[in-house]
């Protein structure tokens, strides 16, 4: 059978329909879709796709099992390396990871590895199997933060035989998966199921627990934990420092998304947390978080704009997210930068003042530096502004643990690839080390740290 | 779950609950706050810890019923429990090394003032406390404040008890009389804190205020609680809640506090479901 040049399309909710609801946009493959897509995999002897996966998923191996309809074996292979496959299948930037290296992709579209991963993971969830707990035979490890890095480290450590407690500040586990990524891109019941799986393996979860406040890392050691993994993420929103940022109606993307996702403000007043969205919302930024915020604003009934200071090619958001945003009607004001937010006498946002930009020589990030075009200011009436220009690392742990060294950006210094910090027995990974990055990179860091913690504790015995 | 083991009605809309929270009780210091959520659909609301008992493993919360959530909290009884309670959050207030401190509390702010007055007193400072309310029946913690202060002054807006007028009248008298005050702590409604800040500035006395910004997470993540202090944006949850009153932009704070007023009305209306008035039913 000749190779199909394009990926089996992903069934999706129609754009007009989906902006009226918060249910998932991508509906997932059918079994027939999955089988057709699996057939596109060449099962290379020397598979390059694997090198693009931060958590080392045996990609051709699990696809081979799909082809043979051994789905439960496909699940086992996938889960041997990836503790959160239903999440990764949805939010990983496969195009710049596994799929970028896929040999099929050299002349055609690469194999839809992410879509297949999602299908296998969803098939597994639908079976609703209980997972047997792993017997804890080794020491106790504390994991701080129940986001992608922490959940991965915890699951791997439990499988290695450690007794693991995950400490989470919020009332629900998941970190950015639960407060940041919207329901329409990652349904919260999927996150819940993946977390349940890690619980069933044997990890203990302590919610409403702020390490650095409720207890310090030193107190965790005193309580008998022998090693600590810190995965507290990039939790401090950046603002632009322009006039008007404290007006009512200006949100950080973190606040806007947390209100809507974690606190379910889109179901207000049944859920009690409000979010104020007027007729027109401007989201500042060009990353995935900006796309999430802009698409959320649409679903809350607003006209939604993205203002981004560089051009489309420089936008850090995934192509798929930009495509979805455009399809849904988000309007893009590229090569523009806000210089002031204007308020009325009640202190509420009424307009935003921007200036056009042009691209100069590349800066330290390798992207062409945006430069203001003199005299090109313009004003647009808006009711809300959402600032999505990134986050700084959360300072709570470094502040309460002086012997953990940090960089001038506030990220935790690690001495090696495995995430060893300057404090004995404490490892760190994810956004708290790298600054804001992706879910899968955080998971990769959690995986490496788990291995290093095992080595560290084994050598101590 | 965090069980309520004691409840007192301090004034018609002011309640006290003592809640089991051993891990918070073990660490909390005066000035810290917690965030609670009553149930699955509830909001996260910050409250300053009014008192704690490390041996019993409990914390005491005092709150005024102002919105849907605080009214709901006020309907809970001994034996009921809060779904979520997280803390201690924020920076505590340093109390060591002060000789003479004036503590000023207005309305429900008196509840937040009390643990600080007590801590200053225990740390060896001479404590002069002023508490005020609209009317006599809204005065709270009088005996407790008496025990934690060298002198206690009381004001009511309507003159039904103590000085007829504002707490700032008494504050001014005390600042005139005592030239050796090294700190004023003012906690209460924003206009009161603003007035105390302005007054102390005239007398060149340092003034600490405790802010009640709107928050979601309470750990620095959302930035919803941002305030302007000394021209810079600060987060009440991690940089505060106590700030130098001379540096706080109170007008900005006041504007931000009323942003969800319409939503508050809508959520109350929504809960007129069981024939209750404005969320007084117990079905949720």
């Amino acid at each position: 059978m000749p190779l199909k040049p394009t990926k089996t399309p992903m069934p999706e909710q129609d754009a007009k329909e989906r902006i009226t609801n918060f249910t998932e946009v991508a509906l997932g493959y059918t079994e027939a879709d999955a089988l057709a897509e699996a057939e596109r995999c060449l099962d290379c002897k020397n598979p390059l796709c694997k090198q693009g996966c931060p958590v080392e998923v045996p990609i051709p191996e699990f696809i081979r099992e799909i082809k043979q309809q051994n789905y439960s074996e496909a699940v086992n292979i996938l889960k041997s390396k990836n503790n959160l496959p239903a999440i990764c299948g949805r939010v990983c930037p496969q195009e710049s990871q596994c799929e970028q290296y896929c040999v099929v992709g050299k002349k055609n579209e690469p194999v839809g590895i992410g879509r297949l991963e999602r299908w296998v993971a969803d098939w597994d969830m639908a079976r609703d199997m209980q997972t047997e707990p792993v017997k804890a035979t080794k020491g106790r490890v504390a994991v701080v933060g129940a986001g992608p890095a922490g959940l991965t480290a915890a699951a791997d450590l439990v499988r290695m035989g450690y007794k693991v407690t995950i400490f989470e500040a919020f009332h629900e586990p998941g970190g950015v998966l639960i407060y940041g990524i919207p329901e329409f891109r990652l349904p919260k019941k999927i996150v819940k199921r993946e977390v349940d799986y890690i619980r069933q393996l044997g990890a203990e979860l302590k919610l409403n627990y702020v390490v650095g406040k409720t207890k310090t890392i030193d107190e965790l050691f005193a309580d008998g934990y022998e090693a600590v993994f810190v995965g507290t993420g990039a939790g401090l929103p950046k603002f632009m420092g322009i006039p008007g940022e404290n007006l009512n109606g200006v949100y950080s993307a973190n606040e806007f998304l947390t209100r809507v996702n974690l606190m379910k403000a889109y179901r207000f007043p049944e859920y009690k947390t409000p979010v104020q969205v007027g007729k027109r919302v401007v989201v500042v930024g060009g990353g995935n978080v900006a796309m999430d915020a802009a698409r959320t604003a649409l679903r809350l009934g607003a006209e939604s704009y993205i203002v981004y200071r560089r051009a489309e090619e420089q936008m850090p958001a995934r192509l798929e997210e930009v495509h979805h945003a455009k399809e849904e009607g988000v309007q893009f004001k590229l090569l523009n930068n806000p210089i002031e937010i204007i308020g009325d006498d009640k202190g509420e946002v009424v307009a935003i003042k921007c200036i056009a930009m042009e691209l100069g020589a590349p800066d330290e990030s390798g992207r062409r530096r945006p430069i203001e075009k003199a005299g090109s200011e313009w004003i647009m009436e808006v009711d809300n502004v959402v600032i999505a220009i990134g986050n700084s690392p959360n300072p709570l742990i470094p502040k309460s643990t002086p012997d953990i060294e940090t960089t001038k950006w506030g990220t935790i210094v690690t001495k090696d690839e495995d995430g060893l910090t300057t404090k004995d027995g404490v490892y760190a990974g994810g956004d708290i080390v790298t600054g804001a990055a992706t879910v899968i990179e955080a998971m990769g860091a959690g995986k490496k740290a788990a291995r290093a913690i095992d080595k560290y504790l084994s050598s101590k015995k | 779950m965090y069980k309520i083991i004691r409840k007192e009605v301090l004034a018609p809309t002011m309640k006290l609950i003592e809640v089991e929270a051993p891990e918070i009780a073990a660490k909390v210091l005066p000035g810290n706050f917690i965030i609670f959520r009553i149930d699955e659909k509830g909001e996260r609301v910050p409250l300053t810890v009014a008192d704690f008992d490390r041996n019993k493993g409990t914390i005491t919360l005092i709150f005024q019923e102002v919105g849907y959530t605080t009214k709901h909290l006020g309907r809970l009884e001994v034996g009921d429990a809060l779904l979520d309670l997280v803390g201690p959050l924020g920076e505590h207030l340093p109390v060591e090394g002060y000789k003479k401190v004036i503590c000023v509390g207005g309305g429900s702010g008196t509840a937040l003032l009390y643990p600080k007055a007590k801590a200053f007193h225990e740390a060896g400072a001479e404590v002069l406390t002023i508490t005020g309310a609209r009317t006599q029946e809204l005065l709270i913690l009088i005996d407790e404040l008496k025990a934690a202060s060298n002198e206690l002054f009381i004001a009511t807006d309507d003159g039904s008890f103590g000085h007829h007028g504002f707490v700032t009248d008494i504050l001014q008298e005390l600042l005139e009389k005592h030239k050796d005050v090294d700190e004023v702590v003012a906690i209460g409604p924003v206009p009161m804190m603003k007035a105390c800040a302005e007054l102390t500035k005239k007398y060149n006395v340092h003034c600490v205020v405790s802010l009640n910004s709107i928050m979601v997470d309470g750990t620095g993540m959302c930035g919803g609680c941002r305030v302007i202090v000394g021209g810079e944006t600060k987060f009440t949850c991690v940089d505060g809640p106590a700030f130098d009153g001379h540096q706080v932009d109170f007008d900005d704070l006041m504007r931000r506090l009323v942003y969800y007023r319409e939503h508050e009305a809508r959520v109350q209306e929504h809960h007129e479901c069981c024939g209750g008035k404005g969320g007084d039913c117990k079905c949720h």
Side-chain angles (χ1 to χ4, degrees):
Chain A
M1 197 167 61
L3 182 86
K4 276 197 294 176
T6 54
K7 284 183 193 175
T8 311
M10 174 62 101
E12 281 174 358
Q13 256 200 91
D14 178 67
K16 276 208 191 75
E17 175 65 29
R18 72 187 188 230
I19 59 167
T20 64
N21 63 51
F22 273 80
T23 48
E24 198 172 11
V25 169
L27 301 171
Y29 276 172
T30 60
E31 184 177 358
D33 290 336
L35 286 169
E37 189 58 23
E39 279 308 322
R40 295 184 68 236
C41 175
L42 304 178
D43 200 359
C44 305
K45 260 209 188 98
N46 180 20
L48 299 178
C49 50
K50 281 185 185 175
Q51 72 188 47
C53 178
V55 297
E56 309 148 14
V57 166
I59 295 164
E61 288 85 343
F62 94 79
I63 296 180
R64 198 184 303 149
E65 299 302 329
I66 298 180
K67 283 183 194 171
Q68 290 165 12
Q69 300 181 34
N70 291 334
Y71 303 135
S72 64
E73 193 45 34
V75 171
N76 293 341
I77 293 171
L78 194 51
K79 284 195 167 174
S80 70
K81 292 290 183 183
N82 188 344
N83 300 304
L84 310 167
I87 292 168
C88 290
R90 286 171 167 82
V91 303
C92 264
Q94 289 97 7
E95 64 280 4
S96 55
Q97 295 179 336
C98 52
E99 293 181 17
Q100 189 188 349
Y101 296 94
C102 172
V103 170
V104 175
K106 288 206 171 13
K107 284 194 179 143
N108 302 292
E109 278 186 14
V111 175
I113 300 169
R115 294 173 182 184
L116 288 172
E117 178 181 38
R118 170 182 164 157
W119 184 78
V120 171
D122 287 357
W123 179 88
D124 180 41
M125 275 193 187
R127 312 192 274 182
D128 203 14
M129 295 245 296
Q130 283 285 314
T131 307
E132 284 296 310
V134 181
K135 210 167 160 226
T137 54
K138 297 180 180 170
R140 287 171 75 198
V141 180
V143 168
V144 186
L151 289 173
T152 302
D156 279 8
L157 285 162
V158 166
R159 286 167 191 268
M160 291 171 192
Y162 290 94
K163 193 164 165 33
V164 179
T165 309
I166 311 174
F167 297 91
E168 166 57 42
F170 264 134
H171 56 260
E172 262 182 64
V176 72
L177 307 169
I178 207 99
Y179 73 72
I181 303 176
E183 178 77 19
F184 56 83
R185 205 150 73 77
L186 178 62
K188 300 309 150 217
K189 69 166 198 283
I190 302 277
V191 180
K192 195 177 170 299
R193 294 289 293 270
E194 301 266 54
V195 173
D196 282 347
Y197 163 73
I198 293 171
R199 265 189 183 136
Q200 285 168 15
L201 279 176
E204 181 197 10
L205 253 165
K206 281 200 170 192
L207 302 173
N208 294 320
Y209 208 106
V210 187
V211 174
K213 287 287 180 189
T214 315
K215 266 191 185 163
T216 62
I217 287 191
D218 286 325
E219 287 168 323
L220 294 179
F221 279 116
D223 283 352
Y225 292 98
E226 294 160 78
V228 177
F229 174 76
V230 179
T232 46
L236 212 66
K238 286 185 191 160
F239 288 92
M240 287 181 293
I242 61 171
E245 264 180 320
N246 281 13
L247 289 167
N248 281 338
V250 182
Y251 287 106
S252 73
N254 271 1
E255 181 182 2
F256 183 68
L257 292 172
T258 300
R259 283 180 179 272
V260 179
N261 297 327
L262 176 74
M263 305 309 295
K264 299 197 164 52
Y266 66 95
R267 290 170 65 180
F268 182 88
E270 180 197 356
Y271 282 77
K272 309 300 173 229
T273 304
V275 68
Q276 182 103 287
V277 168
K279 279 199 209 99
R280 192 184 279 167
V281 175
V282 159
V283 178
V284 182
N288 289 321
V289 174
M291 299 306 134
D292 284 346
R295 296 171 68 195
T296 297
L298 273 183
R299 283 162 173 77
L300 294 170
E303 219 180 278
S304 180
Y305 287 82
I306 290 271
V307 171
Y308 178 57
R309 62 192 181 133
R310 303 184 205 242
E312 183 158 348
E313 303 78 71
Q314 284 92 23
M315 287 211 306
R318 290 181 69 190
L319 276 180
E320 185 183 313
E321 302 309 321
V322 178
H323 165 76
H324 276 147
K326 282 185 175 168
E327 222 178 37
E328 290 172 5
V330 173
Q331 299 177 60
F332 287 71
K333 297 273 186 193
L334 302 170
L335 284 166
N336 280 292
N337 204 31
I339 48 174
E340 187 187 348
I341 303 166
I342 301 161
D344 61 10
D345 53 359
K346 288 191 294 181
E348 292 186 7
V349 174
V350 289
I352 189 165
K353 190 177 191 180
C354 302
I355 188 163
M357 311 291 277
E358 55 194 348
L359 294 177
D363 62 12
E364 62 277 10
S365 74
R367 293 179 298 176
R368 292 176 64 192
R369 186 191 298 275
I371 306 164
E372 289 185 358
K373 272 199 247 15
S376 65
E377 293 89 349
W378 54 277
I379 289 178
M380 175 162 70
E381 283 182 21
V382 295
D383 303 287
N384 296 90
V385 177
V386 179
I387 314 283
I389 58 167
N391 289 296
S392 307
N394 194 300
L396 280 178
I397 295 269
K399 227 170 155 179
S400 62
T401 324
D403 45 348
I404 292 183
E405 242 175 72
T406 52
T407 65
K408 64 174 173 180
W409 298 281
T411 51
I412 291 180
V413 172
T414 51
K415 295 208 261 185
D416 56 25
E417 271 239 303
D418 299 331
L420 177 62
T421 68
T422 50
K423 188 176 171 68
D424 192 39
V426 179
Y427 293 75
D431 285 3
I432 189 71
V433 172
T434 56
T438 61
V439 167
I440 187 73
E441 284 167 292
M443 290 174 59
K447 192 168 241 350
K448 278 188 186 152
R451 231 177 264 156
I453 288 171
D454 180 39
K455 216 189 258 171
Y456 164 77
L457 291 178
S458 306
S459 72
K460 262 178 61 174
K461 293 282 147 74
Chain B
M1 300 288 276
Y2 304 83
K3 216 162 109 189
I4 298 173
I5 61 158
R6 180 165 71 100
K7 178 182 178 178
E8 276 178 40
V9 179
L10 301 179
T13 58
M14 192 112 54
K15 311 234 160 113
L16 171 153
I17 53 173
E18 188 177 345
V19 186
E20 281 177 357
E23 284 178 310
I24 301 174
K27 283 300 281 288
V28 65
L29 290 167
N32 286 139
F33 66 94
I34 54 88
I35 285 191
F36 74 90
R37 198 171 70 126
I38 297 173
D39 57 29
E40 201 47 50
K41 293 179 179 175
E43 331 173 61
R44 292 169 65 93
V45 176
L47 279 179
T48 301
V49 177
D51 208 349
F52 50 86
D53 187 329
R54 299 208 203 280
N55 294 328
K56 265 164 83 186
T58 60
I59 59 169
T60 299
L61 304 171
I62 297 179
F63 54 96
Q64 182 150 28
E65 297 176 345
V66 280
Y68 172 81
T69 300
T70 41
K71 282 179 185 162
H72 187 179
L73 187 65
R75 289 195 302 275
L76 299 185
E77 299 296 341
V78 170
D80 289 342
L82 304 175
L83 180 59
D84 298 301
L85 192 60
V86 58
L89 301 171
E91 293 292 325
H92 67 274
L93 193 70
V95 293
E96 301 293 334
Y98 292 92
K99 291 203 180 68
K100 193 182 268 189
V101 180
I102 301 178
C103 293
V104 191
S108 62
T110 297
L112 320 183
L113 181 77
Y114 165 64
K116 295 166 187 101
K118 188 169 136 191
F120 276 114
H121 200 244
E122 281 169 2
E126 182 183 344
V127 176
L128 308 173
T129 301
I130 311 166
T131 181
R134 271 201 331 272
T135 183
Q136 183 182 2
E137 66 169 357
L138 297 176
L139 288 167
I140 55 167
L141 301 175
I142 297 300
D143 292 340
E144 288 84 348
L145 286 170
K146 253 183 209 157
S149 320
N150 297 70
E151 280 187 82
L152 176 67
F153 305 87
I154 299 170
T156 49
D157 297 0
D158 64 358
S160 53
F161 194 89
H163 169 73
H164 185 173
F166 296 132
V167 287
T168 39
D169 306 336
I170 303 176
L171 177 61
Q172 183 156 14
E173 274 172 37
L174 292 180
L175 288 169
E176 282 290 342
K177 199 169 143 195
H178 301 266
K179 294 295 175 194
D180 54 345
V181 171
D182 40 19
E183 178 106 300
V184 170
V185 182
I187 307 175
V190 182
M192 182 212 97
M193 291 193 285
K194 188 184 176 188
C196 290
E198 282 166 1
L199 193 58
T200 50
K201 210 169 181 178
K202 269 191 225 154
Y203 289 86
N204 206 16
V205 177
H206 190 251
C207 175
V208 170
V209 294
S210 182
L211 308 185
N212 56 337
S213 315
I214 295 172
M215 292 183 191
V216 184
D217 64 297
T219 60
M221 203 209 75
C222 83
C225 64
R226 59 196 188 276
V227 286
I228 302 171
V229 181
E232 273 179 56
T233 294
K234 298 273 180 194
F235 291 176
T236 306
C237 65
V238 287
D239 300 319
F243 291 100
D244 176 352
H246 297 166
Q247 305 290 325
V248 172
D249 184 339
F250 289 103
D251 298 334
D252 177 75
L253 175 67
M254 266 186 264
R255 275 201 302 268
R256 291 187 66 81
L257 284 172
V258 299
Y259 189 47
Y260 295 102
R261 196 169 270 174
E262 279 171 35
H263 287 83
E264 188 56 53
R266 274 175 60 201
V267 84
Q268 302 256 3
E269 211 175 287
H270 178 77
H271 280 277
E272 280 174 7
C273 51
C274 308
K277 293 174 229 94
D280 287 339
C281 68
K282 277 200 93 172
C283 69
H284 297 279

